[in-house]
Amino acid sequence: MTNRKNALTYAEAGVDIDAGNRLVDLIKPMVRATARAGADAEIGGFGGLFDLKAAGFTDPVLVAANDGVGTKVKVAIETGIHDTIGIDLVAMSVNDLVVQGAEPLFFLDYFACGKLDPEAAAAIVAGIAEGCREAGCALIGGETAEMPGLYSEGDYDLAGFAVGAAERGTLLPSREIAAGDAVIGLASSGLHSNGYSLVRKILEISGLGLAAPAPFAPVTTLGGALLTPTRLYVKSCLRAIRETGAVKGLAHITGGGFTDNIPRVLPKHLGVRVDLAQVTVLPVFKWLAQQGGLAELELLRTFNCGVGMVAIVRGEAVDQVADVLTQAGERVALLGEVIAADDNNRVIYDNHLDLAI
């Protein structure tokens, strides 16, 4: 008979169960800090629980969303800055919930890596917990997968899953959106989590490394500036919806920009006219446009350009909605109005973006 080695372990195959257990111990306090009415935010079971009645809902409709952070995660890996990418993960899903008028209730994450580094993973989860706290949702579970051979050591990827609710009859977009309604833009914090494959290509062309001072924000490194977390619009938008009753629709400006995202919340016979001169273009977009030689329409369809959320509101209530959003911490601008349109021309642009550096 052939002699066989019988002492092979899972750890020798590249999966460390003890490291996984250490991660759970590190993140339990962070998870508990996200507790809210309806969820105690305890982890360790086989599933997370949420009590809709305890959360105050009478006749709720559930709304679910999931997303990742794209190749922005490569910037986090290459810089070793892991404590903000989790905020992006939460924001990309919960911002999609609020556009439907839903209050985010709970969140679950999926973290996959080649070799588990408990401290780095805990920093990522700390960001996820921070995003959940800011959005008012509980982190009730998640999954950590150590997969040597599929991911290289040091590499990881993230996915997030959010569930929210709204009382029946209050979901957005409203069927009452009509020509003449106003279009309000809410400022973004930066790139958010879209277009990073193009960003990384532009970095190659520029010859700058992530450790170099950011040309558009010289008080920080390029890598640090590119990792500015996605803005969370949940609390401000819910406040505007509930206090004014004048918000008819919301569009989260992600990949596809104004061009692809605004029509998603409009009836097929309507479009919008947007005055690009009213968009405050952030310095990062001006720099990317210059370095990459990007055409204006390419810029508009790839990035948010400085507007991360768009609200469709009753024309006569523009000032009221803008005041509530401003009081909630948003920077807002009147971008245009809803117009009659055909399927081929749903977004009409007036003027041009100010891309001067």
Side-chain angles (χ1 to χ4, degrees):
M1 293 183 63
T2 303
N3 290 327
R4 296 180 182 275
K5 181 180 179 182
N6 295 315
L8 189 63
T9 66
Y10 206 4
E12 288 176 307
V15 179
D16 190 341
I17 294 174
D18 290 334
N21 291 334
R22 171 166 167 71
L23 173 60
V24 172
D25 289 338
L26 287 172
I27 66 176
K28 278 184 177 180
M30 307 171 193
V31 175
R32 290 191 189 108
T34 71
R36 55 154 290 160
D40 59 13
E42 287 289 340
I43 58 171
F46 288 94
L49 304 178
F50 193 92
D51 185 339
L52 282 166
K53 186 175 181 180
F57 288 91
T58 303
D59 185 19
V61 175
L62 294 179
V63 182
N66 74 292
D67 210 336
V69 294
T71 56
K72 187 172 186 176
V73 75
K74 286 290 289 181
V75 181
I77 292 167
E78 291 172 11
T79 59
I81 301 172
H82 306 294
D83 59 348
T84 59
I85 199 76
I87 299 174
D88 292 293
L89 186 67
V90 174
M92 294 304 288
S93 286
V94 298
N95 284 343
D96 280 352
L97 294 184
V98 77
V99 301
Q100 295 181 271
E103 174 187 340
L105 302 177
F106 60 86
F107 188 86
L108 299 98
D109 68 275
Y110 175 75
F111 172 77
C113 61
K115 181 174 177 57
L116 181 60
D117 178 341
E119 281 67 31
I124 294 166
V125 175
I128 294 172
E130 174 61 28
C132 286
R133 286 194 298 272
E134 189 173 336
C137 63
L139 179 56
I140 65 169
E143 173 66 11
T144 301
E146 193 173 17
M147 296 187 283
L150 183 58
Y151 293 91
S152 299
E153 185 172 341
D155 281 347
Y156 62 82
D157 198 11
L158 299 167
F161 309 84
V163 173
E167 294 291 357
R168 194 176 306 276
T170 66
L171 290 170
L172 297 179
S174 167
R175 295 179 181 179
E176 297 178 359
I177 294 176
D181 286 338
V183 178
I184 295 176
L186 284 64
S188 70
S189 57
L191 288 160
H192 288 184
S193 297
N194 300 104
Y196 276 80
S197 294
L198 178 57
V199 170
R200 290 165 52 243
K201 188 69 176 176
I202 292 172
L203 288 184
E204 290 180 18
I205 295 170
S206 74
L208 293 176
L210 293 172
F216 50 88
V219 296
T220 188
T221 64
L222 186 53
L226 294 178
L227 287 172
T228 300
T230 305
R231 186 165 181 80
L232 287 133
Y233 297 99
V234 171
K235 292 184 178 179
S236 60
C237 286
L238 286 177
R239 181 174 168 183
I241 291 168
R242 293 166 177 171
E243 291 187 11
T244 71
V247 178
K248 295 185 177 184
L250 293 165
H252 186 197
I253 307 303
T254 54
F258 296 155
T259 307
D260 291 348
N261 286 296
I262 298 177
R264 295 169 66 183
V265 303
L266 297 174
K268 292 190 179 298
H269 67 286
L270 295 176
V272 293
R273 182 176 293 277
V274 175
D275 183 358
L276 294 179
Q278 300 305 311
V279 176
T280 300
V281 182
L282 299 178
V284 60
F285 300 111
K286 295 182 179 184
W287 183 78
L288 288 168
Q290 181 190 67
Q291 290 294 311
L294 303 181
E296 184 177 62
L297 288 177
E298 183 70 16
L299 197 67
L300 284 164
R301 202 177 181 196
T302 305
F303 302 114
N304 67 64
C305 295
V307 175
M309 184 72 76
V310 162
I312 309 295
V313 307
R314 290 201 316 264
E316 70 274 14
V318 170
D319 290 341
Q320 181 190 10
V321 175
D323 285 347
V324 172
L325 290 170
T326 300
Q327 290 168 17
E330 303 294 350
R331 290 183 292 114
V332 303
L334 178 60
L335 299 182
E337 65 176 350
V338 177
I339 60 172
D342 58 49
D343 286 339
N344 296 321
N345 296 288
R346 305 291 302 282
V347 181
I348 305 298
Y349 296 116
D350 290 332
N351 297 311
H352 294 280
L353 295 171
D354 177 8
L355 298 177
I357 296 179

